[in-house]
Amino acid sequence: MTNLEVSIRIAQSLAEVSAAAWNKCAGYTSRRPVKAVHEAELTSVDNSSTELSTRGQVNNPFISHEFLSSLEESRSVGARTGWQPRHLLAEDADGMLLGAAPCYVKSHSRGEYVFDHGWAEAFERAGGDYYPKLQIAVPFTPVTGPRLFAAPALWLARFVERSPTRSSK
C-alpha cells in the first residue's frame, strides 16, 4: 500500500466546497430524480412504504449541496437560528474531497427530531455544559438517509496497490 495522507478540515459554509465534489461523495446526481409520492405504491394500512423513504436511495435530495446550500443562503441556518454550519471534510494531500459529513454547532435542541431536552437538563444539573453541541444532521427534517459520505471507490485506486494475480500450478 502507498501512504495516504488525509487531512480533516471544517468548512463554515458549503460555499467553501465544490458542489460537484460534495454531491459525488453524497452519491447525489440531479439526473436520477427521487420517485414522487404519487408514483409510489402504498404497501400498508398506515400509508408507510419503503418507496416513500429516502433510506437506501442513492439520490437523496436532502443531502445535496444545492439543498444544504439553500439553507445557508436563505439564512435558515446560521448563528441567528442556532444551527451554525461546521461541515466536516476529509481531503487528500491534493485537496481532493474523500469524505464529508453535514455538521452543525447547536446552541439549543429546537428544530431537531431527537428530543434530548431531558439529557441536556440532567447534564447541566450535574454541572456540565450540554451546549454547544456538534450534530451531524440535515436541519429541520426527520428524513432518513446517509449522513457520513465517502467518495466513490474510484479514488481508492490512487492509494491501493493491487497485488498481482497468482496462477495456481
Side-chain angles (χ1 to χ4, degrees):
M1 275 184 109
T2 60
N3 289 332
L4 171 60
E5 184 180 319
V6 176
S7 62
I8 303 299
R9 180 168 70 92
I10 296 173
Q12 294 189 25
S13 170
L14 272 183
E16 299 175 31
V17 183
S18 151
W22 179 275
N23 287 341
K24 189 173 185 178
C25 280
Y28 179 80
T29 174
S30 59
R31 287 176 280 199
R32 285 184 282 167
V34 174
K35 194 177 273 192
V37 173
H38 69 277
E39 295 174 356
E41 293 181 31
L42 301 179
T43 58
S44 68
V45 200
D46 67 350
N47 293 339
S48 64
S49 168
T50 55
E51 290 188 41
L52 297 176
S53 171
T54 59
R55 184 182 305 271
Q57 283 196 21
V58 177
N59 210 26
N60 183 334
F62 296 101
I63 58 175
S64 71
H65 191 279
E66 292 77 5
F67 178 79
L68 295 172
S69 291
S70 72
L71 295 176
E72 294 179 15
E73 291 165 11
S74 67
R75 296 189 178 148
S76 297
V77 297
R80 181 183 58 82
T81 63
W83 288 81
Q84 296 181 37
R86 296 294 185 272
H87 306 297
L88 194 61
L89 310 173
E91 300 170 322
D92 71 4
D94 297 325
M96 179 179 162
L97 190 62
L98 304 176
C103 298
Y104 298 85
V105 172
K106 294 291 308 287
S107 58
H108 54 71
S109 292
R110 294 183 300 276
E112 298 173 22
Y113 290 87
V114 174
F115 303 104
D116 61 353
H117 301 285
W119 286 104
E121 291 168 8
F123 195 69
E124 288 172 3
R125 278 195 306 272
D129 292 323
Y130 193 76
Y131 304 105
K133 65 180 181 178
L134 182 67
Q135 184 166 334
I136 299 175
V138 173
F140 313 117
T141 179
V143 174
T144 60
R147 300 298 185 260
L148 300 174
F149 315 142
L154 297 175
W155 69 268
L156 286 173
R158 292 178 56 191
F159 307 110
V160 178
E161 287 181 6
R162 298 182 187 263
S163 59
T165 306
R166 295 182 183 174
S167 59
S168 55
K169 294 183 180 181

